[in-house]
Amino acid sequence: MQIEYDHTGFFDEMFEKDGKPRPHYEGIFQRLKTLSTAEFDQKREAVDLSLLQQGVTFTVYGDEESTERIFPFDLMPRIIPNKEWTMLEEGLTQRIVALNLFLKDIYHEQKIVKDGIIPAEVLATGKHFRKEMRDFSPPNDIYIHICGTDLIRDDNGDYLVLEDNGRCPSGVSYMIENRNVMKRAFPRFFPKSGVRSVLDYPDQLLKTLKFASPNESDNPTVAVLTPGVYNSAYFEHCFLARQMGVEIVQGQDLVVKNDFVYMKTTVGLKKVDVLYRRIDDDFLDPKAFRKDSVLGVPGLMQAYRAGNVGLANAVGTGIADDKVTYCFVPDMIKYYLDQEPILPNVKTWLPYKKEDLDYTLENADKLVIKAANEAGGYGMLIGPKATKAEVEDFKKKVKAHPRDFIAQTPISLSRHPTYCDKEFDGRHIDLRPYILYGDKVRVMPGGLTRVALRKGSLVVNSSQGGGSKDTWVLKQDK
């Protein structure tokens, strides 16, 4: 099995410029050379069948043909050497600590605003800033318990932060399932490959959630709160609840009495101490937020503020997830930690500022423009690949609502060998590591590598034609 393709023009994860495999890829490179194309295809088909039988799916909103799809998986793993991962781990830890200090500050004294580091208007106009959280402290002052930070690499192979997903980051179930199928596909090679495990994620997640309990109990009751079967990540909600051995509930399964939250069971009501909620703030409690929500639990916010139930993530973390706020994270790190950021941001313009708006409108065809509060690759313009009409249409949107958009320099994402159309070719990838913040910060050694399966595409999101790879972090460097 040969891995040969044109890997020039971009940073290639596997090959050096002279065409030699990088040292951390040497093992898998040699292993694949021993396989025939037929044997490789046989492994791929076995993996696809396994994912299908286990129902590893996601839902595509607005798709008339099929709402539920199998998440495409590429058998060629992405490999990260130990030294490189150590730097990423330190950078991600630094970032989540700063984001939590920021959230505590803005919902209390707002020193960072008073000291002129972040403009007050960023908070005042932030769609996800929740006044209901003012002067309230969640257990242990932790707001973001689970974070998925998207990383990319530029032409030089330098890592950059693309965004922080601090509300309900999804995809971790695919990280675990990808690892399981890879172990089955290479049963003799995998144990010798020196890869760190990610399979204890459910145990670490449960430990993190229990730490979010406001009640002094040795074994607090945890449940996963899902919007239901029509949510795009419903598979993941069920998967994580099953793996943690906790109940999965919908809003209708919960009731609030005297500011305590109870779960309806066949033997009566059972008090819930912590909810891993996979419902956005807007729909969490119709008494506090959207009155028309049928997904949430009436009175939940009051129970939360009374200190009788823990929520992960806390209400109001969406303001840290806002792409305008993202621009200020390096400043937060300097302000709260007195440190230089280990992981830099992508160069970003904020059109709510007059000079940035002018630049964005003049250069829209050269920039990537994103909606500040969208996810999944929606609400985005990739200027260099857009038609003139699409660019003009986006410029009107930005001009009408400048606070709702950011603009960034297009980054030539690194490429990785990916098996497409019966051969290997380079495809652009990103990486979403998962960070847990409980009694301490834990960065899972791996994450979800997403790959743009369409040739030349920079959009890696599963909802728009992306797939995934297993991510191997090595225990030792060679």
Side-chain angles (χ1 to χ4, degrees):
M1 191 77 194
Q2 296 297 318
I3 306 176
E4 295 178 341
Y5 61 93
D6 179 11
H7 49 77
T8 59
F10 302 90
F11 180 84
D12 192 276
E13 296 282 348
M14 183 170 187
F15 293 104
E16 306 272 9
K17 288 182 178 177
D18 61 4
K20 294 180 180 175
R22 300 181 190 278
H24 48 286
Y25 275 94
E26 186 65 35
I28 191 71
F29 181 75
Q30 295 300 334
R31 175 67 182 97
L32 290 179
K33 281 173 69 175
T34 67
L35 292 176
S36 67
T37 301
E39 289 170 327
F40 186 77
D41 282 338
Q42 193 176 30
K43 288 183 181 293
R44 286 181 55 248
E45 289 167 5
V47 164
D48 289 346
L49 181 61
S50 173
L51 294 174
L52 179 64
Q53 290 174 336
Q54 293 176 65
V56 183
T57 61
F58 68 100
T59 303
V60 179
Y61 297 126
D63 185 343
E64 295 180 357
E65 295 179 358
S66 174
T67 57
E68 196 163 7
R69 294 180 181 175
I70 300 296
F71 195 17
F73 174 72
D74 184 66
L75 201 54
M76 182 71 199
R78 186 240 191 95
I79 304 176
I80 301 174
N82 178 60
K83 184 178 179 182
E84 201 169 285
W85 180 256
T86 299
M87 180 274 294
L88 293 178
E89 195 171 36
E90 291 172 354
L92 293 167
T93 299
Q94 180 190 59
R95 203 164 174 101
I96 195 171
V97 170
L99 284 169
N100 272 283
L101 290 171
F102 165 72
L103 287 163
K104 179 184 177 183
D105 184 14
I106 63 167
Y107 286 120
H108 290 82
E109 298 176 73
Q110 298 196 346
K111 289 181 181 175
I112 198 167
V113 175
K114 292 171 184 170
D115 287 341
I117 307 300
I118 292 182
E121 63 188 297
V122 170
L123 303 184
T125 57
K127 180 180 175 183
H128 297 294
F129 181 82
R130 300 296 180 187
K131 65 180 188 308
E132 295 83 357
M133 289 294 287
R134 288 301 304 264
D135 301 319
F136 170 70
S137 298
N140 306 304
D141 284 334
I142 299 174
Y143 291 75
I144 301 178
H145 306 81
I146 303 110
C147 187
T149 296
D150 291 346
L151 303 176
I152 58 175
R153 301 182 82 174
D154 63 13
D155 287 346
N156 299 316
D158 294 327
Y159 283 93
L160 303 168
V161 177
L162 194 60
E163 61 185 49
D164 302 288
N165 295 282
R167 283 182 284 170
C168 302
S170 61
V172 76
S173 58
Y174 305 118
M175 174 188 79
I176 296 169
E177 287 293 4
N178 288 352
R179 177 59 51 85
N180 284 326
V181 295
M182 283 299 287
K183 291 178 74 172
R184 290 196 290 272
F186 296 96
R188 282 177 289 186
F189 173 74
F190 195 90
K192 297 183 292 185
S193 58
V195 178
R196 292 177 64 182
S197 178
V198 294
L199 298 182
D200 65 339
Y201 178 83
D203 293 337
Q204 300 298 341
L205 175 61
L206 183 58
K207 188 182 295 184
T208 301
L209 293 171
K210 287 184 176 181
F211 193 72
S213 172
N215 305 316
E216 294 184 3
S217 167
D218 292 336
N219 190 26
T221 299
V222 175
V224 176
L225 175 59
T226 175
V229 67
Y230 296 110
N231 184 268
S232 63
Y234 183 68
F235 161 78
E236 178 160 296
H237 305 164
C238 297
F239 176 88
L240 291 175
R242 188 169 61 248
Q243 293 289 316
M244 289 191 290
V246 304
E247 299 290 335
I248 183 167
V249 296
Q250 297 186 36
Q252 62 199 18
D253 301 319
L254 300 173
V255 62
V256 176
K257 288 181 177 291
N258 299 321
D259 294 341
F260 285 88
V261 179
Y262 295 90
M263 178 167 52
K264 300 172 188 172
T265 76
T266 54
V267 293
L269 297 179
K270 181 177 182 180
K271 188 163 74 71
V272 176
D273 299 302
V274 181
L275 284 171
Y276 179 26
R277 52 95 173 201
R278 299 295 295 257
I279 295 178
D280 283 345
D281 292 353
D282 280 341
F283 301 96
L284 199 56
D285 177 356
K287 286 187 175 179
F289 304 112
R290 283 185 55 158
K291 308 298 181 193
D292 59 344
S293 171
V294 295
L295 302 175
V297 186
L300 178 59
M301 193 62 194
Q302 178 59 34
Y304 184 47
R305 284 193 61 97
N308 294 329
V309 67
L311 295 177
N313 288 334
V315 171
T317 58
I319 189 64
D321 190 299
D322 187 318
K323 292 181 177 61
V324 173
T325 308
Y326 151 89
C327 195
F328 294 95
V329 175
D331 297 319
M332 292 177 202
I333 292 170
K334 294 174 186 173
Y335 181 75
Y336 294 118
L337 304 178
D338 194 22
Q339 298 173 2
E340 288 298 316
I342 296 171
L343 294 170
N345 279 5
V346 175
K347 171 68 177 171
T348 302
W349 288 266
L350 300 176
Y352 82 85
K353 299 177 182 176
K354 177 67 170 61
E355 61 273 28
D356 284 15
L357 174 63
D358 292 344
Y359 182 86
T360 300
L361 295 177
E362 289 170 10
N363 297 279
D365 60 336
K366 305 179 187 67
L367 299 171
V368 175
I369 302 177
K370 299 176 179 177
N373 290 291
E374 290 283 354
Y378 295 105
M380 180 169 71
L381 175 84
I382 301 178
K385 292 182 177 293
T387 65
K388 190 173 180 180
E390 289 170 335
V391 171
E392 291 303 315
D393 182 54
F394 236 83
K395 286 168 67 174
K396 290 178 185 174
K397 293 178 183 176
V398 174
K399 199 171 181 179
H401 302 285
R403 169 59 176 83
D404 293 344
F405 294 90
I406 65 165
Q408 294 180 321
T409 304
I411 302 296
S412 298
L413 305 187
S414 62
R415 294 200 312 183
H416 196 286
T418 302
Y419 197 69
C420 300
D421 302 324
K422 300 290 183 183
E423 63 180 2
F424 281 104
D425 201 356
R427 291 291 188 271
H428 296 293
I429 60 171
D430 77 351
L431 174 64
R432 176 175 293 180
Y434 294 91
I435 308 107
L436 299 174
Y437 195 170
D439 59 326
K440 64 179 184 178
V441 176
R442 295 179 174 86
V443 183
M444 296 309 296
L448 183 68
T449 291
R450 300 182 299 179
V451 53
L453 295 176
R454 284 195 286 265
K455 191 176 181 65
S457 174
L458 295 172
V459 182
V460 298
N461 304 83
S462 56
S463 55
Q464 300 198 45
S468 71
K469 292 172 170 289
D470 192 16
T471 307
W472 294 4
V473 172
L474 301 184
K475 296 173 185 172
Q476 294 181 328
D477 294 331
K478 294 181 180 178

